[in-house]
Amino acid sequence: DAKTTQPTSMDCAEGRAANLPCNHSTISGNEYVYWYRQIHSQGPQYIIHGLKNNETNEMASLIITEDRKSSTLILPHATLRDTAVYYCIVPWGGNQFYFGTGTSLTVIP
Amino acid sequence: GAGVSQTPSNKVTEKGKYVELRCDPISGHTALYWYRQSLGQGPEFLIYFQGTGAADDSGLPNDRFFAVRPEGSVSTLKIQRTERGDSAVYLCASSPYGGGGDTQYFGPGTRLTVL
């Protein structure tokens, strides 16, 4: 069952920040939010995950609202290589991922 | 270190044949997952192993699909009497423990084409 809602597609200018939103209004208190991306013909690539606090790593930042019903993935300086499908996932069951169709991000030169 | 590997990278078979797809997880990872991705769709969960046992096989579409992980490391996804609708990319992932907050790392996938 889908636990997340994402826009189908987004564009971002090269060098600008890409902000990808995700709604997960039914998330429960101990469920994590994961972000993956998939570049054409490759396996999904882990980006970041979080529970309550905002997180940052070398790839991106994850901002989770205080009520945890939504989050935003931020790619601070988008490059052409960031063009991909981005998936926001809240695992169900033990650790099963439901990917949905994600957001297709196109970085424009 | 070495990531998740899958073999073969491509497999072409004829309708009705039997195929086996192999997954080598990251060394030491106890949890292993299989997903299937059809063209234009996101990956779809098939089965989850915790060690040697299938903890959840609810995603397997029918009894033609079966997976094993006999020694808690390498896993094989087996498809009997293949059908054209089985054509897809089959993805494998592994994670250290399998619990909440555990990150799954994916392999490159096996592209299966059933003629």
Side-chain angles (χ1 to χ4, degrees):
Chain A
D1 291 332
K3 282 193 169 184
T4 65
T5 305
Q6 299 177 253
T8 303
S9 63
M10 293 181 63
D11 292 339
C12 177
E14 186 179 17
R16 305 298 292 267
N19 297 282
L20 291 88
C22 179
N23 287 322
H24 31 79
S25 58
T26 61
I27 195 170
S28 64
N30 61 350
E31 290 178 328
Y32 286 77
V33 180
Y34 287 81
W35 283 84
Y36 282 74
R37 72 181 182 184
Q38 191 170 26
I39 297 169
H40 184 61
S41 298
Q42 298 182 20
Q45 178 189 22
Y46 167 76
I47 302 174
I48 199 166
H49 74 288
L51 184 62
K52 295 179 181 177
N53 299 322
N54 298 336
E55 302 287 345
T56 296
N57 63 21
E58 65 279 4
M59 290 183 68
S61 294
L62 174 61
I63 307 299
I64 303 174
T65 58
E66 191 169 345
D67 63 7
R68 303 210 324 122
K69 292 181 184 292
S70 66
S71 62
T72 301
L73 178 74
I74 301 172
L75 308 178
H77 304 287
T79 71
L80 299 179
R81 288 179 294 181
D82 291 322
T83 292
V85 177
Y86 287 77
Y87 297 99
C88 169
I89 300 163
V90 175
W92 56 273
N95 200 27
Q96 289 83 312
F97 286 1
Y98 178 85
F99 278 80
T101 53
T103 295
S104 178
L105 174 69
T106 301
V107 180
I108 301 169
Chain B
V4 177
S5 63
Q6 294 186 245
T7 53
S9 55
N10 282 282
K11 176 70 176 179
V12 180
T13 190
E14 293 180 344
K15 181 175 178 294
K17 299 290 188 182
Y18 168 83
V19 297
E20 290 189 350
L21 310 179
R22 177 186 168 109
C23 173
D24 283 80
I26 293 172
S27 178
H29 281 192
T30 62
L32 185 146
Y33 312 79
W34 284 99
Y35 293 82
R36 176 171 72 173
Q37 186 169 24
S38 300
L39 194 63
Q41 304 295 315
E44 184 182 26
F45 169 78
L46 295 177
I47 187 169
Y48 154 49
F49 285 90
Q50 183 61 256
T52 61
D56 184 346
D57 64 358
S58 61
L60 295 178
N62 52 58
D63 61 6
R64 294 188 298 105
F65 288 74
F66 189 71
V68 295
R69 195 185 184 202
E71 298 179 357
S73 178
V74 170
S75 176
T76 305
L77 178 65
K78 308 181 181 193
I79 310 174
Q80 298 177 320
R81 304 183 304 279
T82 52
E83 300 177 357
R84 292 194 180 88
D86 299 335
S87 296
V89 175
Y90 289 82
L91 294 160
C92 176
S94 71
S95 69
Y97 310 111
D102 205 26
T103 298
Q104 295 184 28
Y105 298 93
F106 284 78
T110 293
R111 181 175 299 278
L112 175 67
T113 303
V114 181
L115 301 177

mmCIF file of all heavy atoms in Angstrom, chain A residues 44-83:
data_model
loop_
_atom_site.group_PDB
_atom_site.id
_atom_site.type_symbol
_atom_site.label_atom_id
_atom_site.label_comp_id
_atom_site.label_asym_id
_atom_site.label_seq_id
_atom_site.Cartn_x
_atom_site.Cartn_y
_atom_site.Cartn_z
ATOM 1 N N PRO A 44 18.284 1.210 -7.865
ATOM 2 C CA PRO A 44 18.054 2.370 -6.996
ATOM 3 C C PRO A 44 19.269 2.657 -6.122
ATOM 4 O O PRO A 44 19.920 1.732 -5.623
ATOM 5 C CB PRO A 44 16.849 1.943 -6.152
ATOM 6 C CG PRO A 44 16.143 0.920 -6.984
ATOM 7 C CD PRO A 44 17.234 0.192 -7.704
ATOM 8 N N GLN A 45 19.543 3.936 -5.950
ATOM 9 C CA GLN A 45 20.689 4.397 -5.154
ATOM 10 C C GLN A 45 20.179 5.068 -3.892
ATOM 11 O O GLN A 45 19.351 5.982 -3.946
ATOM 12 C CB GLN A 45 21.526 5.379 -5.968
ATOM 13 C CG GLN A 45 22.713 5.962 -5.229
ATOM 14 C CD GLN A 45 23.380 7.091 -5.992
ATOM 15 O OE1 GLN A 45 22.768 7.731 -6.857
ATOM 16 N NE2 GLN A 45 24.636 7.350 -5.692
ATOM 17 N N TYR A 46 20.672 4.628 -2.747
ATOM 18 C CA TYR A 46 20.299 5.237 -1.469
ATOM 19 C C TYR A 46 20.804 6.677 -1.412
ATOM 20 O O TYR A 46 21.935 6.974 -1.804
ATOM 21 C CB TYR A 46 20.896 4.432 -0.318
ATOM 22 C CG TYR A 46 20.839 5.128 1.023
ATOM 23 C CD1 TYR A 46 19.641 5.194 1.734
ATOM 24 C CD2 TYR A 46 21.974 5.720 1.566
ATOM 25 C CE1 TYR A 46 19.585 5.824 2.965
ATOM 26 C CE2 TYR A 46 21.920 6.341 2.795
ATOM 27 C CZ TYR A 46 20.733 6.401 3.488
ATOM 28 O OH TYR A 46 20.675 7.029 4.704
ATOM 29 N N ILE A 47 19.941 7.587 -0.923
ATOM 30 C CA ILE A 47 20.360 8.971 -0.746
ATOM 31 C C ILE A 47 20.463 9.314 0.736
ATOM 32 O O ILE A 47 21.523 9.694 1.225
ATOM 33 C CB ILE A 47 19.370 9.948 -1.424
ATOM 34 C CG1 ILE A 47 19.237 9.649 -2.917
ATOM 35 C CG2 ILE A 47 19.817 11.392 -1.203
ATOM 36 C CD1 ILE A 47 18.162 10.473 -3.612
ATOM 37 N N ILE A 48 19.359 9.157 1.466
ATOM 38 C CA ILE A 48 19.319 9.624 2.852
ATOM 39 C C ILE A 48 18.079 9.060 3.520
ATOM 40 O O ILE A 48 17.129 8.639 2.831
ATOM 41 C CB ILE A 48 19.314 11.180 2.872
ATOM 42 C CG1 ILE A 48 19.740 11.735 4.219
ATOM 43 C CG2 ILE A 48 17.957 11.727 2.446
ATOM 44 C CD1 ILE A 48 20.065 13.233 4.181
ATOM 45 N N HIS A 49 18.075 9.001 4.834
ATOM 46 C CA HIS A 49 16.849 8.656 5.546
ATOM 47 C C HIS A 49 16.831 9.362 6.892
ATOM 48 O O HIS A 49 17.880 9.814 7.389
ATOM 49 C CB HIS A 49 16.672 7.147 5.699
ATOM 50 C CG HIS A 49 17.564 6.491 6.709
ATOM 51 N ND1 HIS A 49 18.922 6.308 6.510
ATOM 52 C CD2 HIS A 49 17.300 5.943 7.927
ATOM 53 C CE1 HIS A 49 19.431 5.669 7.549
ATOM 54 N NE2 HIS A 49 18.489 5.446 8.425
ATOM 55 N N GLY A 50 15.633 9.453 7.474
ATOM 56 C CA GLY A 50 15.503 10.117 8.759
ATOM 57 C C GLY A 50 14.252 9.673 9.490
ATOM 58 O O GLY A 50 13.337 9.098 8.903
ATOM 59 N N LEU A 51 14.217 9.960 10.780
ATOM 60 C CA LEU A 51 13.071 9.602 11.615
ATOM 61 C C LEU A 51 12.310 10.855 12.053
ATOM 62 O O LEU A 51 11.138 11.008 11.765
ATOM 63 C CB LEU A 51 13.541 8.812 12.829
ATOM 64 C CG LEU A 51 12.456 8.286 13.760
ATOM 65 C CD1 LEU A 51 11.542 7.314 13.037
ATOM 66 C CD2 LEU A 51 13.086 7.620 14.982
ATOM 67 N N LYS A 52 12.985 11.736 12.758
ATOM 68 C CA LYS A 52 12.329 12.944 13.249
ATOM 69 C C LYS A 52 13.142 14.199 12.932
ATOM 70 O O LYS A 52 12.605 15.222 12.547
ATOM 71 C CB LYS A 52 12.126 12.862 14.762
ATOM 72 C CG LYS A 52 11.186 11.782 15.206
ATOM 73 C CD LYS A 52 11.054 11.763 16.728
ATOM 74 C CE LYS A 52 10.123 10.644 17.168
ATOM 75 N NZ LYS A 52 10.042 10.561 18.653
ATOM 76 N N ASN A 53 14.438 14.080 13.116
ATOM 77 C CA ASN A 53 15.297 15.248 12.935
ATOM 78 C C ASN A 53 15.680 15.423 11.474
ATOM 79 O O ASN A 53 15.680 14.473 10.697
ATOM 80 C CB ASN A 53 16.562 15.081 13.763
ATOM 81 C CG ASN A 53 16.262 14.958 15.245
ATOM 82 O OD1 ASN A 53 15.384 15.622 15.761
ATOM 83 N ND2 ASN A 53 16.993 14.081 15.905
ATOM 84 N N ASN A 54 16.027 16.650 11.129
ATOM 85 C CA ASN A 54 16.563 16.895 9.799
ATOM 86 C C ASN A 54 17.920 16.211 9.674
ATOM 87 O O ASN A 54 18.657 16.084 10.659
ATOM 88 C CB ASN A 54 16.695 18.393 9.557
ATOM 89 C CG ASN A 54 15.345 19.088 9.606
ATOM 90 O OD1 ASN A 54 14.306 18.475 9.385
ATOM 91 N ND2 ASN A 54 15.369 20.378 9.915
ATOM 92 N N GLU A 55 18.226 15.752 8.477
ATOM 93 C CA GLU A 55 19.460 15.037 8.245
ATOM 94 C C GLU A 55 20.185 15.641 7.050
ATOM 95 O O GLU A 55 19.547 16.146 6.117
ATOM 96 C CB GLU A 55 19.183 13.551 7.968
ATOM 97 C CG GLU A 55 18.440 12.809 9.054
ATOM 98 C CD GLU A 55 19.304 12.533 10.280
ATOM 99 O OE1 GLU A 55 20.531 12.650 10.189
ATOM 100 O OE2 GLU A 55 18.715 12.177 11.340
ATOM 101 N N THR A 56 21.498 15.551 7.082
ATOM 102 C CA THR A 56 22.317 16.020 5.957
ATOM 103 C C THR A 56 23.469 15.053 5.753
ATOM 104 O O THR A 56 24.054 14.579 6.730
ATOM 105 C CB THR A 56 22.868 17.439 6.230
ATOM 106 O OG1 THR A 56 21.772 18.358 6.311
ATOM 107 C CG2 THR A 56 23.783 17.891 5.110
ATOM 108 N N ASN A 57 23.758 14.769 4.511
ATOM 109 C CA ASN A 57 24.970 14.011 4.186
ATOM 110 C C ASN A 57 25.602 14.642 2.946
ATOM 111 O O ASN A 57 25.206 15.739 2.523
ATOM 112 C CB ASN A 57 24.682 12.520 4.022
ATOM 113 C CG ASN A 57 23.733 12.210 2.876
ATOM 114 O OD1 ASN A 57 23.566 13.008 1.955
ATOM 115 N ND2 ASN A 57 23.116 11.046 2.940
ATOM 116 N N GLU A 58 26.560 13.938 2.370
ATOM 117 C CA GLU A 58 27.303 14.526 1.255
ATOM 118 C C GLU A 58 26.454 14.651 -0.012
ATOM 119 O O GLU A 58 26.832 15.364 -0.932
ATOM 120 C CB GLU A 58 28.558 13.704 0.962
ATOM 121 C CG GLU A 58 28.292 12.288 0.475
ATOM 122 C CD GLU A 58 27.973 11.313 1.607
ATOM 123 O OE1 GLU A 58 27.879 11.751 2.778
ATOM 124 O OE2 GLU A 58 27.816 10.109 1.306
ATOM 125 N N MET A 59 25.333 13.969 -0.060
ATOM 126 C CA MET A 59 24.494 14.012 -1.251
ATOM 127 C C MET A 59 23.360 15.015 -1.129
ATOM 128 O O MET A 59 23.005 15.684 -2.119
ATOM 129 C CB MET A 59 23.878 12.638 -1.528
ATOM 130 C CG MET A 59 24.855 11.586 -1.993
ATOM 131 S SD MET A 59 24.021 10.032 -2.374
ATOM 132 C CE MET A 59 23.074 10.481 -3.830
ATOM 133 N N ALA A 60 22.741 15.095 0.043
ATOM 134 C CA ALA A 60 21.501 15.844 0.134
ATOM 135 C C ALA A 60 21.175 16.183 1.580
ATOM 136 O O ALA A 60 21.842 15.722 2.515
ATOM 137 C CB ALA A 60 20.359 15.011 -0.459
ATOM 138 N N SER A 61 20.110 16.979 1.733
ATOM 139 C CA SER A 61 19.527 17.240 3.048
ATOM 140 C C SER A 61 18.084 16.766 3.043
ATOM 141 O O SER A 61 17.409 16.822 2.006
ATOM 142 C CB SER A 61 19.566 18.736 3.376
ATOM 143 O OG SER A 61 20.890 19.179 3.526
ATOM 144 N N LEU A 62 17.636 16.312 4.210
ATOM 145 C CA LEU A 62 16.262 15.859 4.381
ATOM 146 C C LEU A 62 15.634 16.698 5.482
ATOM 147 O O LEU A 62 16.142 16.715 6.611
ATOM 148 C CB LEU A 62 16.225 14.379 4.753
ATOM 149 C CG LEU A 62 14.864 13.788 5.103
ATOM 150 C CD1 LEU A 62 13.901 13.893 3.933
ATOM 151 C CD2 LEU A 62 15.016 12.321 5.530
ATOM 152 N N ILE A 63 14.554 17.387 5.118
ATOM 153 C CA ILE A 63 13.830 18.201 6.073
ATOM 154 C C ILE A 63 12.495 17.516 6.349
ATOM 155 O O ILE A 63 11.705 17.288 5.426
ATOM 156 C CB ILE A 63 13.572 19.619 5.521
ATOM 157 C CG1 ILE A 63 14.883 20.258 5.035
ATOM 158 C CG2 ILE A 63 12.893 20.495 6.588
ATOM 159 C CD1 ILE A 63 15.928 20.429 6.118
ATOM 160 N N ILE A 64 12.255 17.178 7.606
ATOM 161 C CA ILE A 64 11.011 16.516 8.010
ATOM 162 C C ILE A 64 10.220 17.496 8.862
ATOM 163 O O ILE A 64 10.761 18.071 9.802
ATOM 164 C CB ILE A 64 11.301 15.225 8.799
ATOM 165 C CG1 ILE A 64 12.166 14.275 7.963
ATOM 166 C CG2 ILE A 64 10.003 14.535 9.217
ATOM 167 C CD1 ILE A 64 12.626 13.031 8.712
ATOM 168 N N THR A 65 8.945 17.692 8.526
ATOM 169 C CA THR A 65 8.125 18.619 9.308
ATOM 170 C C THR A 65 7.944 18.104 10.729
ATOM 171 O O THR A 65 8.086 16.903 11.003
ATOM 172 C CB THR A 65 6.762 18.833 8.649
ATOM 173 O OG1 THR A 65 6.101 17.561 8.521
ATOM 174 C CG2 THR A 65 6.905 19.475 7.283
ATOM 175 N N GLU A 66 7.607 19.013 11.612
ATOM 176 C CA GLU A 66 7.505 18.658 13.026
ATOM 177 C C GLU A 66 6.438 17.577 13.264
ATOM 178 O O GLU A 66 6.620 16.698 14.108
ATOM 179 C CB GLU A 66 7.184 19.904 13.854
ATOM 180 C CG GLU A 66 7.310 19.686 15.356
ATOM 181 C CD GLU A 66 7.240 20.979 16.143
ATOM 182 O OE1 GLU A 66 7.370 22.062 15.522
ATOM 183 O OE2 GLU A 66 7.044 20.911 17.363
ATOM 184 N N ASP A 67 5.331 17.645 12.503
ATOM 185 C CA ASP A 67 4.289 16.626 12.661
ATOM 186 C C ASP A 67 4.605 15.355 11.883
ATOM 187 O O ASP A 67 3.840 14.385 11.925
ATOM 188 C CB ASP A 67 2.919 17.171 12.247
ATOM 189 C CG ASP A 67 2.832 17.557 10.782
ATOM 190 O OD1 ASP A 67 3.788 17.279 10.025
ATOM 191 O OD2 ASP A 67 1.820 18.138 10.376
ATOM 192 N N ARG A 68 5.716 15.350 11.146
ATOM 193 C CA ARG A 68 6.221 14.210 10.368
ATOM 194 C C ARG A 68 5.306 13.804 9.218
ATOM 195 O O ARG A 68 5.478 12.740 8.636
ATOM 196 C CB ARG A 68 6.503 13.005 11.254
ATOM 197 C CG ARG A 68 7.480 13.296 12.361
ATOM 198 C CD ARG A 68 8.329 12.136 12.810
ATOM 199 N NE ARG A 68 7.658 10.857 12.801
ATOM 200 C CZ ARG A 68 8.074 9.802 12.118
ATOM 201 N NH1 ARG A 68 9.169 9.878 11.373
ATOM 202 N NH2 ARG A 68 7.416 8.669 12.178
ATOM 203 N N LYS A 69 4.355 14.635 8.862
ATOM 204 C CA LYS A 69 3.425 14.264 7.791
ATOM 205 C C LYS A 69 3.980 14.570 6.410
ATOM 206 O O LYS A 69 3.366 14.198 5.392
ATOM 207 C CB LYS A 69 2.086 14.977 7.990
ATOM 208 C CG LYS A 69 1.322 14.488 9.225
ATOM 209 C CD LYS A 69 0.002 15.203 9.347
ATOM 210 C CE LYS A 69 -0.724 14.815 10.622
ATOM 211 N NZ LYS A 69 -1.188 13.444 10.623
ATOM 212 N N SER A 70 5.069 15.266 6.334
ATOM 213 C CA SER A 70 5.676 15.534 5.034
ATOM 214 C C SER A 70 7.169 15.765 5.200
ATOM 215 O O SER A 70 7.655 16.001 6.311
ATOM 216 C CB SER A 70 5.023 16.742 4.348
ATOM 217 O OG SER A 70 5.283 17.917 5.084
ATOM 218 N N SER A 71 7.865 15.667 4.073
ATOM 219 C CA SER A 71 9.299 15.914 4.091
ATOM 220 C C SER A 71 9.725 16.487 2.747
ATOM 221 O O SER A 71 8.971 16.425 1.753
ATOM 222 C CB SER A 71 10.070 14.624 4.397
ATOM 223 O OG SER A 71 9.848 13.634 3.408
ATOM 224 N N THR A 72 10.926 17.045 2.724
ATOM 225 C CA THR A 72 11.490 17.596 1.498
ATOM 226 C C THR A 72 12.933 17.141 1.365
ATOM 227 O O THR A 72 13.712 17.262 2.318
ATOM 228 C CB THR A 72 11.459 19.137 1.504
ATOM 229 O OG1 THR A 72 10.104 19.574 1.638
ATOM 230 C CG2 THR A 72 12.039 19.704 0.218
ATOM 231 N N LEU A 73 13.252 16.624 0.214
ATOM 232 C CA LEU A 73 14.636 16.288 -0.111
ATOM 233 C C LEU A 73 15.238 17.485 -0.831
ATOM 234 O O LEU A 73 14.651 17.994 -1.795
ATOM 235 C CB LEU A 73 14.695 15.052 -1.007
ATOM 236 C CG LEU A 73 16.104 14.637 -1.438
ATOM 237 C CD1 LEU A 73 16.841 13.988 -0.269
ATOM 238 C CD2 LEU A 73 16.067 13.698 -2.634
ATOM 239 N N ILE A 74 16.395 17.928 -0.390
ATOM 240 C CA ILE A 74 17.053 19.076 -1.002
ATOM 241 C C ILE A 74 18.394 18.648 -1.579
ATOM 242 O O ILE A 74 19.263 18.146 -0.860
ATOM 243 C CB ILE A 74 17.263 20.210 0.016
ATOM 244 C CG1 ILE A 74 15.920 20.655 0.604
ATOM 245 C CG2 ILE A 74 17.978 21.394 -0.637
ATOM 246 C CD1 ILE A 74 16.048 21.635 1.747
ATOM 247 N N LEU A 75 18.533 18.854 -2.887
ATOM 248 C CA LEU A 75 19.836 18.719 -3.538
ATOM 249 C C LEU A 75 20.364 20.140 -3.693
ATOM 250 O O LEU A 75 19.826 20.913 -4.472
ATOM 251 C CB LEU A 75 19.695 18.050 -4.907
ATOM 252 C CG LEU A 75 18.929 16.727 -4.961
ATOM 253 C CD1 LEU A 75 18.831 16.225 -6.394
ATOM 254 C CD2 LEU A 75 19.582 15.693 -4.072
ATOM 255 N N PRO A 76 21.387 20.515 -2.946
ATOM 256 C CA PRO A 76 21.720 21.944 -2.821
ATOM 257 C C PRO A 76 22.193 22.610 -4.116
ATOM 258 O O PRO A 76 21.898 23.790 -4.333
ATOM 259 C CB PRO A 76 22.807 21.963 -1.749
ATOM 260 C CG PRO A 76 23.338 20.579 -1.697
ATOM 261 C CD PRO A 76 22.217 19.671 -2.095
ATOM 262 N N HIS A 77 22.899 21.901 -4.956
ATOM 263 C CA HIS A 77 23.403 22.469 -6.201
ATOM 264 C C HIS A 77 23.246 21.409 -7.292
ATOM 265 O O HIS A 77 24.152 20.617 -7.541
ATOM 266 C CB HIS A 77 24.876 22.871 -6.066
ATOM 267 C CG HIS A 77 25.149 23.819 -4.945
ATOM 268 N ND1 HIS A 77 24.778 25.149 -4.982
ATOM 269 C CD2 HIS A 77 25.723 23.612 -3.727
ATOM 270 C CE1 HIS A 77 25.129 25.717 -3.828
ATOM 271 N NE2 HIS A 77 25.700 24.817 -3.065
ATOM 272 N N ALA A 78 22.077 21.387 -7.900
ATOM 273 C CA ALA A 78 21.764 20.312 -8.846
ATOM 274 C C ALA A 78 22.698 20.346 -10.058
ATOM 275 O O ALA A 78 23.017 21.416 -10.595
ATOM 276 C CB ALA A 78 20.320 20.413 -9.292
ATOM 277 N N THR A 79 23.121 19.161 -10.474
ATOM 278 C CA THR A 79 23.913 19.011 -11.691
ATOM 279 C C THR A 79 23.134 18.134 -12.668
ATOM 280 O O THR A 79 22.145 17.500 -12.302
ATOM 281 C CB THR A 79 25.273 18.365 -11.411
ATOM 282 O OG1 THR A 79 25.065 16.979 -11.090
ATOM 283 C CG2 THR A 79 25.989 19.045 -10.254
ATOM 284 N N LEU A 80 23.614 18.092 -13.905
ATOM 285 C CA LEU A 80 22.917 17.292 -14.914
ATOM 286 C C LEU A 80 22.872 15.820 -14.507
ATOM 287 O O LEU A 80 21.927 15.099 -14.851
ATOM 288 C CB LEU A 80 23.609 17.444 -16.269
ATOM 289 C CG LEU A 80 23.645 18.865 -16.838
ATOM 290 C CD1 LEU A 80 24.376 18.875 -18.181
ATOM 291 C CD2 LEU A 80 22.250 19.443 -16.981
ATOM 292 N N ARG A 81 23.880 15.381 -13.748
ATOM 293 C CA ARG A 81 23.911 13.979 -13.316
ATOM 294 C C ARG A 81 22.870 13.663 -12.249
ATOM 295 O O ARG A 81 22.689 12.500 -11.887
ATOM 296 C CB ARG A 81 25.308 13.621 -12.805
ATOM 297 C CG ARG A 81 26.346 13.514 -13.918
ATOM 298 C CD ARG A 81 27.712 13.191 -13.370
ATOM 299 N NE ARG A 81 28.241 14.271 -12.552
ATOM 300 C CZ ARG A 81 29.421 14.262 -11.961
ATOM 301 N NH1 ARG A 81 30.191 13.204 -12.079
ATOM 302 N NH2 ARG A 81 29.833 15.274 -11.237
ATOM 303 N N ASP A 82 22.212 14.690 -11.726
ATOM 304 C CA ASP A 82 21.144 14.456 -10.747
ATOM 305 C C ASP A 82 19.806 14.175 -11.428
ATOM 306 O O ASP A 82 18.813 13.900 -10.739
ATOM 307 C CB ASP A 82 20.999 15.674 -9.827
ATOM 308 C CG ASP A 82 22.195 15.841 -8.910
ATOM 309 O OD1 ASP A 82 22.736 14.810 -8.436
ATOM 310 O OD2 ASP A 82 22.588 16.993 -8.656
ATOM 311 N N THR A 83 19.749 14.258 -12.736
ATOM 312 C CA THR A 83 18.528 13.893 -13.455
ATOM 313 C C THR A 83 18.240 12.404 -13.214
ATOM 314 O O THR A 83 19.066 11.552 -13.523
ATOM 315 C CB THR A 83 18.671 14.172 -14.956
ATOM 316 O OG1 THR A 83 18.743 15.576 -15.166
ATOM 317 C CG2 THR A 83 17.497 13.597 -15.743
#
